[in-house]
Amino acid sequence: MTTLLIKNGHVIDPANGIDDVHDILVADGKIQKVEAGLNDTADEVIDASGLTVTPGLIDMQVHFREPGREDRETLETGSWAALAGGVTSAVAMPNLKPVADNQTVIEFIIKRSNELDLINIYPTGSITTGQEGATLSEINELKTSGAIAITDDGVDVQDEGILRRAFEYSKTCDILLMSHCETNTLTEDGVMHEGWVSTQLGLAGTPAASEDLAVQKNILLAEMCGGRLHLLHNSTSGAVDAIRRAKQAGKATITAEVSVQHFALTDEECKGYNTNAKMYPPLRSQDHVDAIIAAIKDDTIDAFTTDHAPHIEPDKLQPFDKAAFGSTGLQTSFAVMNTYLVKPGHISLSKGISKMSAEPAKILGIDKGTLSVGADADIAIFDINKDWVPSNENRLSKGKNCIFNGKTLTGQAQYTIVGGRVKFKQGQIVAS
Ligand SMILES: [Zn+2]
């Protein structure tokens, strides 16, 4: 039996209401005790004095690119980036080559992540075959082969009839449906948020209405058909207003997330034609960011994600309107949350951690995200006061495209523990 003792850390475990200095004893991959002043001996002892100990973070939306685009990221490099950010579980999007619309791709991802034995990776299957929006995937086959949810993320299912059937099947198969909300006829050639800044820069914009309309469509169909709807990467005031109303009405099971860049930054980042600021949904104007923060405070938004989207350099070293969409984020998500929400006093650290651990676990229906006795010992240990500057030099992802490059962030993972084993210490990978 291997044992690990984490001493004197400030333990924040929102699911159990713990926010105090405690020790944690881990044995055989499970949490055995969470108490002050433990005197147990252990094979390994971590002195967490001055550090903050939390459940390992759960990221519900990442793009790991394997199979198909291993030049951008692999399940291995993506896992390293996750570990460096205190993330112990990640939900992998299906926009791969081939698309995860069948049993073989789902089983490959599960097998490869088991071989790697770094973090917990949960694959999703696509709603439609090839993510082409025309024919439903074999949703029951996806579910039985291990997909945790269905989504066409990267694109939206435009046809309401197809989406209706998808909700009906998702209900029958009891699988979460995650929607990327975008109305193609409004997005057209848009490369950033449509507004004053896009006009100044002379770039084609994507109006907020593209997202608002798709969010409302998804809510209406979820209310009509049942099933569980999770709305990915919300970025507009219209989206969160609609979600708030739908939650109050209570006619469907609806949850929602925001990717951390969308509460932190605005479309001003696109000035200078910085292609790392190009992403979908686009960084919005300040009024939308304010509405998103209000929706975080009143829990209209349940969870924070990264939408981690690695690219090779040539795909970003392009004119803005030609560059690829997306930013990496796994290594910076905790720091962004801490810097832009906790430090300015918008929310407590406990609430922020909850939206990155206990809440995503609830939405996904997985037994993770807490430090309860008997739970899997997935644990992150942060220095919440550590200032650091993300750069291509200190990034473990293959993708060097990060919108937070060069910005000072506060808070950094010092240790990341998965299944009771230390996989990462700040500055090194310890894949034991
Ligand atoms: Zn998306």
Side-chain angles (χ1 to χ4, degrees), residues 161-317:
I162 300 274
L163 192 55
R164 172 193 181 166
R165 298 285 172 236
F167 273 109
E168 289 169 348
Y169 273 98
S170 75
K171 186 182 181 193
T172 308
C173 301
D174 189 24
I175 190 166
L176 182 69
L177 191 153
M178 303 167 102
S179 278
H180 161 122
C181 291
E182 176 175 4
T183 307
N184 289 355
T185 50
L186 291 176
T187 301
E188 288 186 324
D189 301 324
V191 294
M192 65 173 290
H193 174 63
E194 183 176 296
W196 174 235
V197 181
S198 66
T199 306
Q200 282 180 309
L201 295 177
L203 292 170
T206 293
S210 165
E211 183 173 328
D212 300 350
L213 200 56
V215 166
Q216 304 223 26
K217 175 179 83 176
N218 272 273
I219 290 171
L220 285 170
L221 291 174
E223 287 177 342
M224 183 173 89
C225 307
R228 290 178 285 137
L229 167 63
H230 177 71
L231 294 155
L232 296 162
H233 51 50
N234 296 280
S235 71
T236 66
S237 59
V240 292
D241 285 348
I243 296 161
R244 188 178 289 113
R245 283 199 303 275
K247 284 187 165 191
Q248 280 164 359
K251 289 191 245 168
T253 306
I254 294 170
T255 54
E257 65 174 52
V258 58
S259 300
V260 297
Q261 53 274 20
H262 288 109
F263 59 64
L265 304 174
T266 69
D267 56 354
E268 298 278 331
E269 297 292 326
C270 299
K271 286 185 171 170
Y273 302 94
N274 173 11
T275 58
N276 283 343
K278 183 176 176 183
M279 61 189 75
Y280 192 85
L283 295 170
R284 303 284 186 186
S285 50
Q286 188 65 50
D287 51 332
H288 290 289
V289 172
D290 293 343
I292 292 288
I293 292 173
I296 291 166
K297 286 183 177 175
D298 74 5
D299 296 322
T300 298
I301 294 292
D302 302 278
F304 302 150
T305 61
T306 60
D307 199 2
H308 178 81
H311 289 286
I312 53 170
E313 262 186 324
D315 289 346
K316 281 290 193 180
L317 288 174

Side-chain angles (χ1 to χ4, degrees), residues 57 77 89 109 124 192 335:
L57 304 184
T77 56
S89 295
I109 294 168
T124 57
M192 65 173 290

